[in-house]
Amino acid sequence: MQSHRSIITVTLLTYLVVIINQPNDISAFQRNDFGCRTLRKKLSLQNKVAMKMSSNGKGKPIVFSQDLEKYVGVQNTSNKWVDLSVSKDELRPSATLTNGQCFNWIPVESLAPNDYIVNYVESKSTSPNKSAWGIHDAKEWIGCINESVFQIKETDSSTLFKILAGDISVNEAKNILHDYFQLDISLKKLYKSWSKDDNNRMARIATAIPGCRIIRQDPSQCLFSFICSSNNNIPRITQILSRFSEKYGNPIIDVPCRYIVDGEFERDSFKLHSFPKLHSFEDATEDNFRDLGFGYRAKYMVKTRDLLMERGGEDFLFSLREKSEDYVQDELIQFHGIGRKVADCVALFSLDQTSAIPVDVHVQHIACRDYNSTFIDSQRSLTPRVYKEIGDIFRERFSAYPGWAHSLLFVAELPSFRDALPEEILHEMEEWRVKESEMKAERKIKKN
């Protein structure tokens, strides 16, 4: 009964967040029949999703580093931590894996289970530090790359890894991670270049948030993952994709975990799957995707899959790595559910398009506040022309890898990184927020 109450509470809170972010003219709180029907329909859908996400009635599984160590010891006694030999200036997984460019890494709790209970349950303190995506601020993660499972650990001076599953050698694993994190690109040199291009804000952010890289994902995985990103939040995207992988991916490893039940731990495990290959869901229907929680995006999954298969499948996407930025965007927006922003996300995060700038309202605000205020003054909508103009602000400002530079500026805006920023930047953010509110109020008065 208690778990059902928790599900209903989470459902109501989730729905309130959705409603708050809806335009006023479609608010489900309107006092008419349409509003009431919309409210009941959305609550019903959210409740079904919540029940699926908590089908075991135990809540969210917690993966502990201590349990993984014992597990690996049983599975492969020769498996030890391997140093990637990369400095913190070149790679910080905590700034790279948690900023919304990928959704396949599960945080691992480094505290001992008993300490976790004391700190976060018995003391009734707040949960572990949250990132912008609702994932606690971990220093370890596990995740799949292709058909292998890695454990990644961030230390004060470097990044370590273990191979939890996969028929690969240590050298092969190093090569996979080297390519995934694009370690052949000197981030330290890029930070220095960007700081010269913008010796004010970027220079201070670069000092505060080191090691924030763009990863090189599998293009198909990136494409279908970002179809889920529209009008969605990262925890839910992760859950949907996890169910998608469970249904159509290959089972690779049983991950030991624990659930908190009545203030105590209950041991369990869950199966980690690889991301599905195109052929594995070639017969999936729209209803199949809806059952996994894709909602209205189910039709995009089916139509994009079909078009991609017509174009040549995964090989077509890999071929885009050799094409120009404009060509890649024009090709990607042909797929259903892929607008210009999502196309640029896929291009930047998987297709080697280092000048791609995913533009949304948040990026527009960064451009207006720091580089060109005319875009907020005129309140121009993101037409293709305006979209390109905003992207060009970053491309013209940063001479090298402007897509990477833009991403670092975006990461600095996330709540989870506020503690890392200098006080003066936080003050500037607040000043701009107040100014922006005043400008919007003035425009509203003029409009009326």
Side-chain angles (χ1 to χ4, degrees):
M1 184 66 180
Q2 183 65 35
S3 62
H4 289 171
R5 288 177 182 170
S6 298
I7 291 170
I8 293 171
T9 301
V10 170
T11 298
L12 287 170
L13 289 174
T14 303
Y15 180 69
L16 286 174
V17 171
V18 171
I19 290 300
I20 289 170
N21 286 283
Q22 295 296 324
N24 292 333
D25 60 333
I26 62 169
S27 173
F29 288 121
Q30 292 174 345
R31 296 180 181 273
N32 55 37
D33 291 338
F34 170 77
C36 293
R37 289 198 304 271
T38 304
L39 175 59
R40 287 194 296 268
K41 184 177 180 180
K42 287 194 174 183
L43 280 174
S44 176
L45 176 61
Q46 291 286 348
N47 192 52
K48 287 179 181 178
V49 172
M51 290 294 288
K52 286 182 180 180
M53 287 168 14
S54 305
S55 58
N56 59 12
K58 300 177 184 178
K60 184 178 179 180
I62 306 167
V63 180
F64 285 94
S65 181
Q66 174 180 307
D67 293 339
L68 282 177
E69 287 180 5
K70 295 176 181 178
Y71 177 84
V72 169
V74 172
Q75 298 294 310
N76 186 349
T77 56
S78 65
N79 199 335
K80 304 293 184 182
W81 286 111
V82 179
D83 196 337
L84 269 178
S85 301
V86 56
S87 72
K88 64 180 182 180
D89 292 328
E90 291 295 337
L91 173 63
R92 292 284 82 182
S94 58
T96 300
L97 300 179
T98 64
N99 59 30
Q101 61 176 315
C102 58
F103 313 101
N104 59 313
W105 292 95
I106 301 170
V108 175
E109 180 55 62
S110 57
L111 283 175
N114 288 341
D115 292 336
Y116 184 95
I117 286 286
V118 170
N119 288 349
Y120 303 126
V121 179
E122 292 180 359
S123 66
K124 297 183 180 180
S125 65
T126 57
S127 59
N129 293 333
K130 299 282 186 178
S131 78
W133 317 122
I135 300 171
H136 71 281
D137 188 13
K139 296 296 182 184
E140 292 183 34
W141 301 263
I142 57 171
C144 292
I145 303 178
N146 300 323
E147 298 293 319
S148 300
V149 178
F150 293 89
Q151 183 177 358
I152 303 293
K153 182 176 183 179
E154 179 179 301
T155 70
D156 290 340
S157 58
S158 187
T159 297
L160 313 179
F161 75 89
K162 284 182 180 179
I163 309 167
L164 297 189
D167 187 19
I168 55 174
S169 67
V170 170
N171 284 336
E172 288 171 329
K174 282 185 176 180
N175 290 335
I176 290 172
L177 292 173
H178 194 279
D179 178 74
Y180 186 77
F181 288 115
Q182 305 196 77
L183 296 179
D184 57 321
I185 299 170
S186 173
L187 192 61
K188 189 173 182 178
K189 290 181 179 178
L190 288 179
Y191 269 43
K192 185 176 181 179
S193 172
W194 299 336
S195 297
K196 287 182 178 179
D197 293 335
D198 173 9
N199 60 12
N200 180 22
R201 191 177 191 81
M202 174 58 92
R204 290 177 290 164
I205 289 174
T207 300
I209 306 176
C212 182
R213 307 186 70 89
I214 297 298
I215 59 176
R216 193 180 196 224
Q217 300 180 60
D218 174 82
S220 178
Q221 178 173 353
C222 194
L223 177 71
F224 287 103
S225 294
F226 272 90
I227 286 178
C228 296
S229 67
S230 61
N231 300 316
N232 215 342
N233 59 67
I234 302 303
R236 189 160 183 269
I237 295 169
T238 302
Q239 289 157 350
I240 292 171
L241 294 176
S242 177
R243 290 196 292 269
F244 177 47
S245 296
E246 288 174 12
K247 179 72 173 178
Y248 297 107
N250 294 324
I252 300 179
I253 189 175
D254 286 311
V255 178
C257 66
R258 304 189 190 202
Y259 294 92
I260 298 177
V261 179
D262 296 327
E264 296 183 355
F265 279 123
E266 182 175 308
R267 292 179 180 271
D268 206 334
S269 65
F270 63 88
K271 186 80 70 176
L272 199 59
H273 296 73
S274 62
F275 195 86
K277 296 297 184 182
L278 191 59
H279 66 82
S280 67
F281 59 98
E282 62 182 351
D283 296 324
T285 65
E286 190 173 320
D287 285 340
N288 293 147
F289 287 116
R290 287 188 182 277
D291 289 342
L292 296 174
F294 281 87
Y296 70 87
R297 306 169 193 86
K299 61 183 177 183
Y300 300 150
M301 294 290 289
V302 171
K303 291 180 178 180
T304 291
R305 175 205 62 198
D306 292 345
L307 180 56
L308 182 57
M309 293 180 73
E310 290 177 12
R311 295 283 187 89
E314 286 101 339
D315 288 342
F316 168 76
L317 292 177
F318 279 108
S319 72
L320 295 180
R321 287 180 170 175
E322 308 300 324
K323 305 298 183 180
S324 69
E325 176 195 336
D326 289 340
Y327 181 90
V328 169
Q329 187 184 81
D330 288 342
E331 288 295 309
L332 290 177
I333 62 176
Q334 303 302 314
F335 292 100
H336 294 269
I338 305 295
R340 294 188 182 278
K341 177 201 168 183
V342 170
D344 278 337
C345 286
V346 176
L348 179 63
F349 303 147
S350 69
L351 298 176
D352 299 344
Q353 301 299 320
T354 60
S355 294
I357 310 290
V359 177
D360 59 10
V361 65
H362 303 292
V363 174
Q364 183 178 10
H365 288 179
I366 295 172
C368 295
R369 182 192 63 208
D370 300 333
Y371 304 117
N372 187 334
S373 62
T374 59
F375 286 95
I376 195 69
D377 291 336
S378 62
Q379 280 293 286
R380 286 185 279 178
S381 59
L382 284 176
T383 63
R385 182 174 65 83
V386 173
Y387 184 98
K388 187 176 187 306
E389 287 177 351
I390 293 175
D392 285 342
I393 291 175
F394 295 94
R395 282 183 281 267
E396 292 168 3
R397 169 71 64 162
F398 300 105
S399 55
Y401 290 72
W404 289 43
H406 136 278
S407 294
L408 178 58
L409 293 171
F410 175 81
V411 166
E413 302 291 317
L414 302 177
S416 56
F417 289 87
R418 295 287 171 84
D419 290 344
L421 299 177
E423 283 294 329
E424 62 268 21
I425 289 186
L426 297 176
H427 182 67
E428 290 167 7
M429 287 180 174
E430 179 60 22
E431 281 187 332
W432 173 258
R433 187 190 66 79
V434 172
K435 180 181 178 181
E436 187 179 31
S437 297
E438 292 173 348
M439 292 166 63
K440 288 180 179 179
E442 290 176 2
R443 281 191 297 271
K444 188 174 182 180
I445 292 173
K446 290 179 181 179
K447 185 177 180 180
N448 295 333

